[in-house]
Amino acid sequence: MWESETESVRGKEFGNGFFSSTKHGFNTDGFQLKGQSWYVATDIPNDLLIQVGDINFHLHKYPLLSRSGKMNRLIYDSKDPDLKRIVFEDLPGGSEAFELAAKFCYGLAVDLTAGNISGLRCAAEYLEMTEDLEEGNLVFKTEAFLSYVVLSSWRDSIVVLKSCEKLSPWAENLQIARRCSESIAWKACANPKGIKWAYTGKPSNVSSPKWNDLKDSSPSRNQHVPPDWWFEDVSILRIDHFVRVITAIKVKGMRFDLIGAAIMHYAAKWLPCLIQDGELQADEMSISSHSNSWKGGFHMIIPGTKDDNLSIQAKDQRTIVESLISIVPPQKDSVSCGFLLRLLRAANMLKVAPALVTELEKRVGMQLEQATLADLLIPNYNKSETSYDVDLVQRLLEHFLVQEQTDSSSPSRRSFSDKQMYEGTHRGNNLNPKSRVARLVDSYLTEVSRDRNLLMTKFQVLAEALPESARTCDDGLYRAIDSYLKAHPTLSEHERKRLCRVMDCQKLSVDACIHAAQNERLPLRVVVQVLFSEQVKISNTLANAITLKDPAETRYQPLITNRKTLLEGTPQSFQDGWVTAKKDINTLKFELDGVKSKHVELQKEMENLQRQFEKMSKPKPTSAWSSGWKKLGKLTKMTTVENHDIGPQISTTIEHVRKPPRRWRNSIS
């Protein structure tokens, strides 16, 4: 069923895998198993007991000495001349491989298959069954079978590489794993139209493929072969061998998207509860039961568990995750962003090396616009106060901005992004990557804002990480702010104002403005800004509509400029909110007018005082005439004062003084 045309030809050339060594062979009917011991069916009594694991082999020295260099050294170099028992504790392939090697030494026919060839090849090397002792020894026979039969077969290469998992380091030193990996890589990169060998194909409902249970599935010449035909066959390999195969496939130049798809297929099989879509839950403790349904991979491990039996499985899972991170193609879109985020979640949970986690975060940042909210809600495994890892999302956003800046500065990448934008516009999705990431961040903030342990500074930093041009509408940001205010009712007025600064009121829709006008959690200043910005937008909309009309039509229609008509087009709830805000605005205007009038009065008084001060401080010019008049005025004032003080004496004196003129008049007359 698994044989191709090449496989059948090679099998005939090699005698269909059966070979024997009749030289120095014993006359025996074969081996007989009695309990845990093997006996040779011959009349000659055995003289050597070889123990391999729990199995005992009752054999003869001569057949083994003639073909095994190691047996020669052990027997002849031993200080005990009557050595009758040898123990092999580290023989590769175990008792099964030694049984075949012993049969070969006795000249019995040995059936070579893809399942036993690797162990027998390593056992032959361990027993030193080389050409130095006998021509056509076991090393030569097994090496020829590997080169001419196994490596020419797709199925046999997979089986042999799978069997090498228990033969380290012998399989590595003998280059069995490397040669099988190269053979698999060459066949995987072949043109699908020319494939004639059999393959498993897409995975079935069975947990893992069983080679012996498969029917004749070799594709016909007219059958279409999908490009992912090799995924399922390669996914049965251990992670180190899978990495070796993928590395060889990369060297051969396969498309990076196919390599990424193969990696995702492997991860879905070996880490189903960590990687597969729809399997991840917010509570990681609830998904351990699903891993038991697939018996081919590792079970779900929860870090910090007290069960010591799970520590080895946790290390195996960590090894798989680290290996998959290291072989993910560097090209963008080689794997989905959701897969990278789920891999990042598993890496944080299993405490993967920080360098690999950082590299994975950069890869996520390259295509963050493709992420979904469910993939971005990664729990915080560092026992922090917050439920979700907000710092991780902040780092992902920084990597995204760095990548966007790099793409915008590169002419080739700029032309590619323009092409993508053109295609996205025709598909009905004209949002650029920054706008899509902005929507994702707003949704993430709305979700994590319900956590009462989330600091306001972290919320602000994440909300302000993107440039203002990334958001054409701030409804999502307003929803996140409202959710945060609802979950943190103890915020002060100053803190609420500072939180609302991350939002631009002019970018809110009508529905958001209506909600904000009735939102008691928002500061009054923010409500006024929202209403004012909405009024400005309505006025601009009406003005633009009027200017776009035909001048002949507007000639006979009055312009709609009064506030009553403007408010008729707005909802009743918006009008009620506007009336309340208008009263507050009028009160503030009245107080401002009073302050202005007081300021004017104080300014006038200040000017009068300044003029008087200038008059007093400025000296006036004097003349002889003015000084005489001043003296006369002073004299008059002094006379008036003396009249009040002296009394009747002054009046008598005045009369006495006035008499001489009378005498002068009499004398004249």
Side-chain angles (χ1 to χ4, degrees):
M1 61 179 177
W2 287 98
E3 289 183 354
S4 64
E5 295 179 357
T6 306
E7 292 175 19
S8 61
V9 172
R10 294 296 182 185
K12 293 177 182 178
E13 292 178 355
F14 209 83
N16 293 325
F18 290 93
F19 69 92
S20 62
S21 178
T22 57
K23 188 176 181 180
H24 305 295
F26 269 38
N27 295 324
T28 176
D29 296 332
F31 281 32
Q32 297 177 353
L33 179 62
K34 297 179 181 180
Q36 296 292 324
S37 301
W38 281 96
Y39 295 90
V40 181
T42 180
D43 296 334
I44 304 175
N46 60 78
D47 56 355
L48 181 63
L49 173 63
I50 297 179
Q51 183 179 352
V52 181
D54 297 334
I55 305 299
N56 297 323
F57 293 87
H58 300 271
L59 306 175
H60 304 82
K61 292 182 180 179
Y62 177 71
L64 300 179
L65 292 175
S66 62
R67 292 173 177 85
S68 173
K70 189 176 185 65
M71 295 296 298
N72 277 275
R73 288 189 293 102
L74 290 176
I75 293 176
Y76 290 116
D77 295 346
S78 176
K79 297 180 180 180
D80 186 6
D82 297 329
L83 180 64
K84 294 183 179 181
R85 184 175 181 271
I86 298 176
V87 179
F88 290 141
E89 296 179 352
D90 55 349
L91 188 143
S95 59
E96 294 84 359
F98 184 79
E99 176 193 350
L100 297 176
K103 288 181 179 180
F104 175 79
C105 293
Y106 278 88
L108 300 176
V110 178
D111 182 14
L112 292 183
T113 63
N116 61 24
I117 186 61
S118 58
L120 187 57
R121 173 67 181 89
C122 296
E125 192 71 23
Y126 177 86
L127 296 173
E128 302 175 11
M129 302 175 69
T130 61
E131 297 294 298
D132 296 338
L133 297 176
E134 181 180 350
E135 185 178 355
N137 209 344
L138 188 57
V139 171
F140 173 80
K141 298 281 188 179
T142 53
E143 189 65 31
F145 186 84
L146 278 171
S147 301
Y148 291 101
V149 178
V150 172
L151 298 181
S152 62
S153 169
W154 167 262
R155 177 258 182 185
D156 290 345
S157 299
I158 295 286
V159 174
V160 170
L161 186 57
K162 181 69 177 176
S163 65
C164 290
E165 298 175 359
K166 301 178 181 179
L167 299 173
S168 299
W170 288 91
E172 296 292 335
N173 296 335
L174 297 176
Q175 303 294 320
I176 299 176
R178 183 192 63 79
R179 288 183 289 173
C180 290
S181 301
E182 290 289 335
S183 174
I184 294 170
W186 276 112
K187 292 177 176 60
C189 296
N191 188 353
K193 295 181 180 180
I195 291 178
K196 300 177 183 179
W197 51 81
Y199 58 91
T200 304
K202 294 183 179 180
S204 59
N205 295 329
V206 186
S207 60
S208 62
K210 297 180 180 180
W211 306 109
N212 297 329
D213 296 340
L214 295 174
K215 302 299 181 182
D216 187 7
S217 59
S218 58
S220 62
R221 297 182 183 273
N222 298 326
Q223 183 180 356
H224 174 69
V225 178
D228 59 348
W229 62 269
W230 52 278
F231 286 5
E232 181 64 19
D233 292 343
V234 174
S235 65
I236 71 169
L237 300 175
R238 199 174 62 182
I239 183 61
D240 54 341
H241 294 154
F242 177 77
V243 171
R244 188 191 294 270
V245 171
I246 293 297
T247 304
I249 289 176
K250 285 183 179 180
V251 175
K252 303 296 185 295
M254 178 174 283
R255 289 160 37 194
F256 63 85
D257 56 338
L258 276 179
I259 297 176
I263 293 173
M264 289 191 291
H265 183 87
Y266 186 90
K269 188 167 186 176
W270 288 89
L271 302 171
C273 296
L274 298 179
I275 304 301
Q276 279 184 346
D277 296 335
E279 296 295 338
L280 293 174
Q281 304 292 336
D283 186 7
E284 298 293 339
M285 296 294 293
S286 64
I287 64 178
S288 59
S289 60
H290 178 80
S291 60
N292 296 327
S293 61
W294 189 78
K295 300 179 181 179
F298 296 104
H299 295 287
M300 175 66 195
I301 305 303
I302 305 300
T305 181
K306 297 181 180 180
D307 193 350
D308 296 334
N309 296 328
L310 299 179
S311 59
I312 298 178
Q313 296 177 351
K315 292 179 181 178
D316 291 337
Q317 284 190 343
R318 186 186 300 115
T319 302
I320 293 176
V321 172
E322 291 177 346
S323 301
L324 293 179
I325 294 174
S326 62
I327 62 175
V328 171
Q331 292 86 354
K332 185 178 180 181
D333 298 329
S334 59
V335 294
S336 65
C337 185
F339 171 77
L340 292 175
L341 283 170
R342 292 188 290 272
L343 198 63
L344 182 59
R345 178 198 293 250
N348 289 336
M349 187 177 66
L350 297 172
K351 307 300 180 182
V352 171
L356 291 175
V357 174
T358 303
E359 186 64 26
L360 186 57
E361 291 176 357
K362 292 180 180 179
R363 283 301 317 278
V364 174
M366 291 175 59
Q367 49 197 98
L368 186 60
E369 69 276 6
Q370 304 172 5
T372 61
L373 178 61
D375 295 330
L376 208 60
L377 292 174
I378 300 177
N380 200 334
Y381 297 104
N382 296 326
K383 297 182 180 180
S384 180
E385 296 180 353
T386 57
S387 301
Y388 296 106
D389 199 343
V390 181
D391 296 333
L392 172 62
V393 178
Q394 177 67 28
R395 293 194 299 270
L396 296 179
L397 199 55
E398 292 175 357
H399 293 313
F400 168 77
L401 294 175
V402 171
Q403 184 65 30
E404 280 293 309
Q405 186 176 4
T406 305
D407 293 346
S408 61
S409 61
S410 176
S412 59
R413 290 182 177 269
R414 191 185 303 116
S415 62
F416 178 73
S417 61
D418 294 341
K419 179 181 178 182
Q420 282 185 331
M421 183 175 294
Y422 175 78
E423 293 177 353
T425 304
H426 284 269
R427 294 174 185 173
N429 184 15
N430 55 356
L431 293 177
N432 54 20
K434 286 185 180 179
S435 299
R436 291 196 292 269
V437 171
R439 287 189 175 185
L440 180 64
V441 171
D442 294 345
S443 302
Y444 181 80
L445 287 173
T446 304
E447 188 68 26
V448 301
S449 62
R450 301 184 180 95
D451 191 349
R452 296 188 177 183
N453 295 325
L454 179 63
L455 298 178
M456 191 178 69
T457 53
K458 288 189 176 183
F459 184 94
Q460 285 181 295
V461 169
L462 190 58
E464 296 175 346
L466 289 169
E468 296 182 359
S469 59
R471 292 184 177 91
T472 57
C473 180
D474 277 10
D475 286 5
L477 196 56
Y478 166 70
R479 190 180 300 107
I481 292 174
D482 182 56
S483 178
Y484 189 87
L485 292 176
K486 187 185 298 182
H488 301 78
T490 58
L491 291 178
S492 63
E493 185 74 13
H494 175 70
E495 290 175 338
R496 288 188 295 159
K497 288 181 180 179
R498 192 176 65 179
L499 179 64
C500 293
R501 289 175 186 171
V502 302
M503 174 183 61
D504 189 357
C505 298
Q506 297 180 359
K507 293 183 179 181
L508 295 179
S509 64
V510 177
D511 295 336
C513 290
I514 294 174
H515 187 276
Q518 302 174 353
N519 194 347
E520 298 179 354
R521 291 181 290 271
L522 295 178
L524 179 61
R525 181 182 182 87
V526 177
V527 175
V528 173
Q529 290 178 355
V530 169
L531 295 174
F532 179 75
S533 63
E534 187 61 22
Q535 183 193 20
V536 171
K537 285 190 289 186
I538 294 175
S539 302
N540 294 336
T541 303
L542 293 176
N544 294 333
I546 293 172
T547 55
L548 291 175
K549 286 185 178 181
D550 189 5
E553 297 179 1
T554 57
R555 187 184 307 169
Y556 303 101
Q557 297 179 0
L559 296 177
I560 305 175
T561 55
N562 55 350
R563 188 177 303 276
K564 180 179 179 181
T565 308
L566 180 65
L567 291 176
E568 287 178 355
T570 59
Q572 183 63 33
S573 58
F574 177 79
Q575 295 181 22
D576 297 340
W578 171 252
V579 170
T580 305
K582 187 62 178 177
K583 291 180 181 179
D584 298 335
I585 293 174
N586 291 334
T587 303
L588 293 175
K589 285 184 177 180
F590 179 77
E591 294 178 356
L592 182 62
D593 293 339
V595 173
K596 286 183 178 180
S597 61
K598 291 181 181 180
H599 176 71
V600 172
E601 293 177 359
L602 291 174
Q603 190 174 5
K604 289 181 179 180
E605 293 179 1
M606 183 65 184
E607 291 177 354
N608 293 333
L609 291 174
Q610 189 174 3
R611 284 195 296 268
Q612 292 178 6
F613 178 75
E614 290 177 354
K615 290 180 181 181
M616 294 176 61
S617 60
K618 187 182 295 184
K620 297 182 179 180
T622 58
S623 60
W625 181 261
S626 60
S627 61
W629 280 104
K630 286 182 179 181
K631 290 180 180 181
L632 181 60
K634 291 180 180 181
L635 181 61
T636 305
K637 291 180 180 180
M638 292 175 63
T639 306
T640 305
V641 173
E642 290 175 357
N643 289 335
H644 289 285
D645 296 338
I646 297 175
Q649 294 179 1
I650 298 176
S651 59
T652 307
T653 306
I654 293 174
E655 292 178 355
H656 180 74
V657 172
R658 291 179 178 175
K659 288 180 179 181
R662 291 179 182 174
R663 264 188 289 180
W664 181 73
R665 287 194 193 102
N666 293 331
S667 63
I668 291 300
S669 60

